[in-house]
Amino acid sequence: MSPESKVNVLLVDDHPQNLLALEAILDCLDQNLVKAHSGAEALRCLLNQDFAVILLDVQMPGMDGFETARLIRQRERSLHTPIIFLTAFSTSDTLVFKGYSLGAVDYLFKPLQPEILKSKVAVFVDLFKKTAEIKRQATQLAAINAELRKSEEQFRSLSACSPVGIFMTDIAGRCTYTNSRCQATDNFKLEESLIEGWSRSVHPEDRDWVLADWSARTLKGQEYSNEFRLLAPEGSVHWVHVRSSPMLSEQGQVIGQVGTVEDITERKQAEAAHTQFIREQAARQEAEAANRMKDEFLATLSHELRTPLNSILGWARLLRTKKFDEKTTARALETIERNAKSQAQLIEDILDVSRIIRGKLRLHLVPVNLVSVIEAAIDSVRLAAEAKAIDFRFLIFDFGLENMSENPESIESDKQPGNSKFLVSGDPERLQQVIWNLLSNGIKFTPAGGKVEVRLSVSCSNEQQTTNNYVQIQVSDTGIGIGKDFLPYVFERFRQADSTTTRSHSGLGLGLAIVRHLVELHRGTVHVQSDGEGTGATFIVQLPLFKDEGGRIKDELIPLLLNPHPSPETPISTESTPSPLILEDLRVLIVDSDTDTHDFLTTVLEQHGARVTAVASVSEAMAALQQLTPDVMIGDIGMLEQDAYELLRQVRALEAERGEKITAIAMTPAYASNEELKLAAGFQMHLPKPVESTELIAALAQFAGQDCRL
């Protein structure tokens, strides 16, 4: 027990005012004062607690102090607990003797002298603490002795049975102990010097450097570890691993070495035998890993390219063969244009990465006003932000003071004060590509109703802020955030936090890698901050400011960035004779997370008489199946979130409950793996994407029992 810990003091009196008086006197001792209003209550306190001293009133109704003391002494736990009797009614020697006979250590008469009471209680408190400490030390010493005996027995057993040699030396290197395994391994006896024993046994080719290394390390009190060869008298060679550590005195001085000798001949032979195998295995694993990365990337690339291609080809074929009203035609053209731009961007990203890998990406450097660059990038993503009702803001700060509107549409960069401060030497198109990638990322990963904010500021390196050093662009969002495990890999090529077929967001994982390379080509830096999933992310780009020879920024060097957006010519639909309604009244459920795809498929099937229900997820599909029973279900294997495999599993479970069968068709990537096709075997048919409308109609016509000649 530490001296600072509190001990228990039991106060027993049937008058509450007396207990309060005792408590007031003893409170300055800072101990745990336990109050009892009767002898019975005092005995209950003694059941679970130990007390340094008991102050016991003699005159109490029912069980008086003497009877209470007698019962206290009958309990093993309180047999030796000091008792001080307190009384105000009698000073009779007979009663005093009776109290002492019951084991009392003192007899005090009321009114009590506070100082005397405190001093007596303090003595017993101190005695209790010291007694407890002595007991603790005695217990600890007994445990230490027992542990020492156990350790000695274990050491003797360990030394005798150890599979490795054990030795000890003094400061001069003379051997003071060896076990039998050590003597057998090194072929020397205890009385021989350790160095002499080794020098005789060490292989001649290893002897000089082994002994030099041993002496250099052990004389300095360092640890030693080495592998070398020993030469036996009969000429056989075996390998040993010798380890040793310095033994230190209580003052920290080196007094010798303790070490082990292990025969590692078999391990060395196995290592030599398997070296080539390991190399081949490593090469094979590297090749397999490269193939896996290639396959994963190709699968993702196939899906990302063919998903928009499905809508482009489908609508193009419909526009060529069917006559639609103006609204449907406009929607078709808009879908074709949007998906074509998506494909073009993917291809540009792939080409940029190819240029980066080959070192062929070049910049055309001119003075660039970053305000204009950011405005142009914002214009290109504004519609995407508005579609998701995202709160989009562009803030400009001059040395920490905001001086521009938060509304991007109201920003006029040439009229705002301080805009000339945001000049950098760069390639306008590439810098706009950097900003566009960051903004697109923020919008893609931010849920509807979220917030994306761009901050542009000038930062300085010194505290006085007298020297402009770089421009900082900060793009923040309130999106899904980045997990701490994935944060270090955000800017790596082909890396995505979720690369499975059920990933929640599309993309090749190239955008941020391109951002980093372009920023570094501009002698800048980019890094990301995120507190984890669900907390949003902030990307910070820093670019060096542009200055003339005198270190000043010239306002007249602000470039005019042109960002033309030519509109493609509107294709003209051709009329054709409508096909017969060969799918009339066929009930079809389409499950595809790509809105353009199931919009296209719905249009195609309805033109041939089918009754189509289109949903975007497995959960929506299961909800729809509660209301209808389709003849055919079409599901995309590469859906976001839950895929078609999960859909089929749930549908088959529902069929078992209803006792009916739904025909299922899977849409698979063109580069589908054997494993994917095997899983898709649960479907009655699988069609590669992009789906040919004629093949789809023909397949459904077979299920409808119609002769299809489109």
Side-chain angles (χ1 to χ4, degrees):
M1 177 181 293
S2 63
E4 294 78 11
S5 59
K6 294 183 179 182
V7 301
N8 298 322
V9 177
L10 182 59
L11 311 178
V12 187
D13 198 304
D14 61 306
H15 294 289
Q17 61 272 24
N18 291 343
L19 291 174
L20 290 174
L22 291 173
E23 187 176 23
I25 294 171
L26 301 176
D27 188 59
C28 62
L29 297 180
D30 195 25
Q31 303 301 322
N32 185 26
L33 303 178
V34 180
K35 295 179 287 186
H37 298 82
S38 66
E41 187 177 350
L43 293 174
R44 285 195 296 271
C45 293
L46 287 164
L47 288 174
N48 300 312
Q49 300 180 78
D50 293 323
F51 293 90
V53 62
I54 301 173
L55 302 183
L56 183 58
D57 185 32
V58 174
Q59 301 294 331
M60 292 189 297
M63 184 187 302
D64 62 11
F66 294 134
E67 179 62 19
T68 302
R70 186 182 65 80
L71 294 175
I72 288 174
R73 291 294 180 242
Q74 290 181 357
R75 300 177 180 230
E76 181 66 26
R77 185 165 184 166
S78 58
L79 180 61
H80 301 292
T81 303
I83 299 175
I84 299 178
F85 279 112
L86 307 177
T87 183
F89 298 102
S90 175
T91 59
S92 168
D93 290 342
T94 303
L95 293 178
V96 172
F97 291 148
K98 182 177 180 181
Y100 284 122
S101 67
L102 291 172
V105 297
D106 210 340
Y107 207 110
L108 299 181
F109 299 97
K110 300 178 182 178
L112 301 172
Q113 297 296 322
E115 293 303 322
I116 294 176
L117 180 61
K118 284 191 293 184
S119 64
K120 290 180 179 292
V121 171
V123 168
F124 290 111
V125 167
D126 185 57
L127 179 61
F128 183 84
K129 289 183 177 181
K130 290 180 178 178
T131 302
E133 180 62 20
I134 291 172
K135 290 180 179 179
R136 187 192 66 79
Q137 293 179 357
T139 302
Q140 186 179 28
L141 181 60
I144 291 174
N145 289 335
E147 188 65 27
L148 284 174
R149 289 192 298 272
K150 182 179 179 181
S151 297
E152 291 175 356
E153 293 174 358
Q154 287 179 339
F155 176 76
R156 285 193 294 269
S157 176
L158 175 65
S159 178
C161 303
S162 174
V164 298
I166 301 174
F167 65 86
M168 293 170 52
T169 71
D170 58 17
I171 190 65
R174 292 184 294 269
C175 188
T176 59
Y177 172 81
T178 61
N179 68 348
S180 57
R181 175 73 68 171
C182 181
Q183 297 175 25
T185 301
D186 293 341
N187 193 30
F188 71 91
K189 298 180 181 178
L190 178 60
E191 59 269 14
E192 297 175 330
S193 167
L194 179 61
I195 296 180
E196 292 176 357
W198 279 7
S199 65
R200 185 181 66 251
S201 303
V202 176
H203 195 284
E205 295 178 4
D206 299 343
R207 185 175 300 150
D208 290 342
W209 69 262
V210 168
L211 296 180
D213 189 37
W214 164 264
S215 300
R217 290 182 176 275
T218 56
L219 290 177
K220 294 179 181 179
Q222 298 176 344
E223 291 188 351
Y224 176 84
S225 177
N226 234 325
E227 297 177 356
F228 50 86
R229 293 170 294 174
L230 296 181
L231 183 61
E234 69 276 9
S236 62
V237 177
H238 60 279
W239 282 84
V240 293
H241 188 178
V242 177
R243 301 181 182 90
S244 73
S245 299
M247 294 187 296
L248 304 178
S249 65
E250 294 182 356
Q251 291 74 31
Q253 297 178 339
V254 178
I255 59 175
Q257 292 277 329
V258 59
T260 60
V261 181
E262 182 180 3
D263 191 324
I264 59 170
T265 303
E266 291 184 2
R267 176 168 67 82
K268 281 291 184 180
Q269 292 173 346
E271 288 176 356
H274 289 283
T275 297
Q276 187 61 31
F277 171 76
I278 292 173
R279 290 175 181 171
E280 293 175 356
Q281 186 179 41
R284 187 164 51 252
Q285 290 175 348
E286 184 177 351
E288 291 174 354
N291 284 334
R292 282 196 300 272
M293 290 183 62
K294 179 192 69 175
D295 291 343
E296 289 176 3
F297 177 70
L298 287 177
T300 303
L301 176 62
S302 173
H303 183 270
E304 295 299 326
L305 288 176
R306 289 177 178 274
T307 294
L309 187 61
N310 194 68
S311 298
I312 292 172
L313 294 179
W315 277 114
R317 187 174 292 108
L318 287 176
L319 289 173
R320 189 176 65 250
T321 59
K322 305 291 182 181
K323 185 176 182 180
F324 297 100
D325 57 32
E326 183 178 349
K327 182 177 180 181
T328 303
T329 301
R331 184 181 62 179
L333 294 175
E334 178 187 353
T335 301
I336 292 173
E337 181 180 10
R338 182 173 64 253
N339 284 279
K341 287 181 177 179
S342 175
Q343 274 196 326
Q345 183 59 51
L346 290 173
I347 294 170
E348 282 300 319
D349 285 349
I350 295 170
L351 293 177
D352 279 345
V353 169
S354 176
R355 296 186 189 104
I356 290 171
I357 293 174
R358 293 182 291 113
K360 299 296 184 181
L361 197 150
R362 298 288 185 266
L363 300 180
H364 303 286
L365 299 178
V366 295
V368 179
N369 180 0
L370 285 179
V371 174
S372 301
V373 171
I374 295 174
E375 288 175 344
I378 288 175
D379 287 340
S380 65
V381 300
R382 182 181 289 112
L383 290 178
E386 291 175 353
K388 297 178 69 174
I390 289 177
D391 182 7
F392 203 104
R393 300 186 182 186
F394 177 25
L395 308 177
I396 298 180
F397 295 85
D398 186 0
F399 295 105
L401 298 177
E402 182 180 350
N403 60 20
M404 296 197 69
S405 168
E406 295 184 2
N407 183 359
E409 296 182 352
S410 68
I411 294 177
E412 298 179 7
S413 58
D414 293 335
K415 298 179 181 179
Q416 294 295 339
N419 281 355
S420 61
K421 293 184 173 64
F422 301 106
L423 284 178
V424 299
S425 176
D427 186 320
E429 292 185 2
R430 291 303 185 181
L431 288 176
Q432 184 174 336
Q433 183 181 0
V434 168
I435 307 303
W436 183 89
N437 268 324
L438 295 178
L439 294 179
S440 298
N441 242 32
I443 293 170
K444 178 168 68 171
F445 292 108
T446 298
K451 180 180 179 181
V452 175
E453 183 176 276
V454 185
R455 289 173 172 253
L456 179 64
S457 61
V458 177
S459 299
C460 304
S461 61
N462 57 14
E463 296 181 357
Q464 288 75 26
Q465 294 187 350
T466 57
T467 303
N468 298 340
N469 289 298
Y470 55 83
V471 177
Q472 179 168 293
I473 307 165
Q474 182 173 304
V475 180
S476 304
D477 63 66
T478 58
I480 63 174
I482 303 171
K484 294 186 183 298
D485 293 339
F486 185 69
L487 206 58
Y489 309 105
V490 165
F491 296 103
E492 290 189 6
R493 290 192 297 268
F494 312 128
R495 290 295 293 267
Q496 292 179 307
D498 182 5
S499 62
T500 65
T501 58
T502 59
R503 62 194 188 282
S504 302
H505 302 276
S506 60
L508 298 178
L510 300 178
L512 293 179
I514 295 172
V515 165
R516 181 181 66 177
H517 189 79
L518 291 177
V519 170
E520 290 176 351
L521 282 180
H522 284 84
R523 297 182 293 110
T525 62
V526 59
H527 64 279
V528 61
Q529 299 172 349
S530 179
D531 293 331
E533 296 180 1
T535 61
T538 299
F539 289 84
I540 300 173
V541 176
Q542 293 180 340
L543 299 170
L545 279 168
F546 176 84
K547 295 183 179 180
D548 64 6
E549 293 81 358
R552 299 181 305 276
I553 302 174
K554 293 183 177 180
D555 291 343
E556 62 269 20
L557 292 178
I558 301 176
L560 178 62
L561 298 181
L562 298 177
N563 186 26
H565 300 284
S567 301
E569 296 182 0
T570 304
I572 301 175
S573 302
T574 58
E575 296 184 9
S576 63
T577 304
S579 302
L581 301 180
I582 59 175
L583 303 181
E584 187 171 6
D585 294 331
L586 184 70
R587 295 165 298 179
V588 181
L589 174 62
I590 299 175
V591 189
D592 195 309
S593 58
D594 183 68
T595 305
D596 291 334
T597 297
H598 65 59
D599 189 17
F600 161 67
L601 294 178
T602 298
T603 302
V604 170
L605 298 181
E606 286 181 345
Q607 285 184 344
H608 291 81
R611 289 184 291 169
V612 181
T613 301
V615 296
S617 66
V618 174
S619 58
E620 292 180 13
M622 297 309 298
L625 288 173
Q626 300 297 324
Q627 308 297 327
L628 59 91
T629 302
D631 300 309
V632 179
M633 178 184 70
I634 304 173
D636 180 20
I637 284 183
M639 282 192 298
L640 305 179
E641 298 179 356
Q642 294 175 303
D643 56 22
Y645 305 140
E646 176 63 20
L647 169 64
L648 186 63
R649 186 188 65 79
Q650 295 188 28
V651 168
R652 294 309 186 216
L654 181 63
E655 291 174 345
E657 295 178 4
R658 293 181 175 180
E660 56 191 17
K661 192 75 171 179
I662 299 175
T663 299
I665 298 177
M667 293 186 291
T668 62
Y671 286 104
S673 65
N674 291 333
E675 183 64 22
E676 287 176 322
L677 295 178
K678 180 179 178 182
L679 290 171
F683 293 83
Q684 276 69 39
M685 177 181 292
H686 56 85
L687 300 174
K689 295 179 88 173
V691 175
E692 291 285 346
S693 59
T694 54
E695 293 182 10
L696 178 61
I697 298 302
L700 293 181
Q702 291 179 5
F703 292 122
Q706 298 289 334
D707 181 20
C708 178
R709 295 183 177 87
L710 298 180

